[in-house]
């Protein structure tokens, strides 16, 4: 079983829809949970990070972590065509391990005008 | 502007010809890392460095070398490139902002083709 599982999609939604992106993981040592957005031919950029469990909101984006289920989610409200990108989840452990990220393979999202 | 830069951005080379991909960050970050990204395999860590003169292997270190002589620079060296090293490479650095902050900044990527 891979450490981090992420549905590669592609996922296509109409503009204005609520998008739900998810990852599951198996390593209970993971403490830091991140979402990155990667546009075509660009490097990943950090969207949100969460330490341990809980929710975090930033504008149209909400990140949720459920450590009991080993499941993390990213919600995008009022999706825009500019949100079309590949979304990567990433996780890391505590201490020195917090610097070694394990990535999901990414979900490709298209928001159709 | 805070950034991670990589050079070259594109490189086509032949098997066995040594090459170096440079990486530099202007954020005074201690931690830097190299990844490769391949279709269907995602981002995989090659090497990382916790500080000057401190480096360690990631998940896929075979065929690569790194050095960290200065805090800002972290070059990736391919002593004898092979076609299976054809990939998109990213350098990254992490801001150490306290126990809850591990913000990682990526460079723009280097697309390497080995024929």
């Amino acid at each position: 079983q891979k450490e981090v599982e992420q549905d590669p999609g592609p996922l296509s939604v109409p503009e204005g829809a609520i998008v739900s992106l998810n990852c599951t993981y198996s390593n209970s040592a993971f403490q830091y949970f991140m979402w990155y957005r990667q546009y075509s031919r660009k490097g990943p950029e950090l969207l949100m990070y969460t330490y341990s469990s809980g929710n975090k909101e930033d504008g149209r984006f909400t990140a949720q972590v459920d450590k009991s289920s080993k499941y993390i989610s990213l919600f995008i409200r009022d999706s825009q065509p500019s949100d079309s990108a590949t979304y990567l989840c990433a996780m890391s452990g505590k201490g020195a391990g917090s610097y070694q990220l394990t990535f999901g393979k990414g979900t490709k999202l298209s928001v159709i005008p | 502007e805070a950034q991670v830069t990589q050079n070259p951005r594109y490189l086509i080379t032949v098997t066995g010809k040594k090459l170096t991909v440079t990486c530099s960050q202007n954020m005074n970050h201690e931690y830097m890392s190299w990844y490769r990204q391949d279709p269907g395999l995602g981002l995989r860590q090659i090497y990382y460095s916790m500080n000057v003169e401190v480096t360690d292997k990631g998940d896929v270190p075979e065929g690569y070398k790194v050095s960290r002589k200065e805090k800002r620079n972290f070059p990736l060296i391919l002593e004898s490139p092979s076609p299976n090293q054809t990939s998109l490479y990213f350098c990254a650095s992490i801001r150490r902002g306290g126990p809850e902050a591990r913000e990682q900044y990526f460079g723009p990527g280097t697309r390497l083709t080995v024929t």
Side-chain angles (χ1 to χ4, degrees):
Chain A
Q1 181 186 7
K2 297 190 189 311
E3 278 201 298
V4 178
E5 299 273 6
Q6 183 176 10
D7 187 336
L11 180 62
S12 185
V13 301
E15 183 175 353
I18 296 174
V19 177
S20 173
L21 303 167
N22 312 293
C23 288
T24 59
Y25 64 95
S26 58
N27 189 343
S28 57
F30 286 146
Q31 296 286 332
Y32 295 93
F33 303 92
M34 290 143 280
W35 286 96
Y36 286 82
R37 178 175 62 195
Q38 186 176 20
Y39 291 115
S40 181
R41 303 180 192 280
K42 300 285 189 183
E45 59 176 323
L46 181 67
L47 268 180
M48 300 187 71
Y49 72 88
T50 307
Y51 175 64
S52 195
S53 283
N55 296 355
K56 193 170 186 177
E57 188 173 319
D58 184 1
R60 296 185 295 111
F61 298 90
T62 300
Q64 290 185 351
V65 176
D66 182 349
K67 290 186 70 180
S68 62
S69 301
K70 295 189 176 66
Y71 187 87
I72 70 170
S73 301
L74 177 71
F75 297 96
I76 307 174
R77 290 183 298 281
D78 187 25
S79 56
Q80 302 295 309
S82 58
D83 294 327
S84 297
T86 297
Y87 290 80
L88 305 162
C89 64
M91 312 175 185
S92 64
K94 291 176 76 172
S98 68
Y99 295 96
Q100 295 166 250
L101 272 61
T102 300
F103 284 84
K105 293 182 181 178
T107 299
K108 187 171 184 178
L109 171 68
S110 296
V111 180
I112 311 301
Chain B
E1 179 191 354
Q3 60 182 350
V4 178
T5 57
Q6 295 178 228
N7 282 291
R9 294 290 313 280
Y10 302 91
L11 179 60
I12 300 174
T13 189
V14 296
T15 299
K17 186 176 181 181
K18 181 180 178 180
L19 66 92
T20 299
V21 184
T22 64
C23 172
S24 183
Q25 51 97 0
N26 63 359
M27 295 168 280
N28 202 36
H29 290 170
E30 293 176 341
Y31 182 91
M32 297 184 73
S33 183
W34 275 103
Y35 295 88
R36 60 179 289 174
Q37 188 174 39
D38 302 287
L41 296 176
L43 273 164
R44 294 178 293 167
Q45 190 177 51
I46 303 170
Y47 268 95
Y48 63 95
S49 170
M50 298 287 286
N51 212 327
V52 175
E53 303 291 3
V54 180
T55 63
D56 208 345
K57 297 176 181 178
D59 299 318
V60 288
E62 294 78 20
Y64 304 95
K65 285 177 57 178
V66 293
S67 70
R68 188 90 180 275
K69 294 182 173 21
E70 306 167 278
K71 201 172 190 179
R72 64 182 291 127
N73 296 322
F74 189 43
L76 179 69
I77 303 157
L78 284 72
E79 294 270 3
S80 182
S82 62
N84 65 10
Q85 292 178 298
T86 293
S87 186
L88 180 58
Y89 291 87
F90 290 102
C91 179
S93 68
I94 290 186
R95 181 180 80 87
R96 191 174 168 181
E100 293 194 13
R102 290 293 181 268
E103 297 170 18
Q104 183 157 210
Y105 297 86
F106 281 84
T110 295
R111 185 166 292 281
L112 172 65
T113 302
V114 183
T115 61

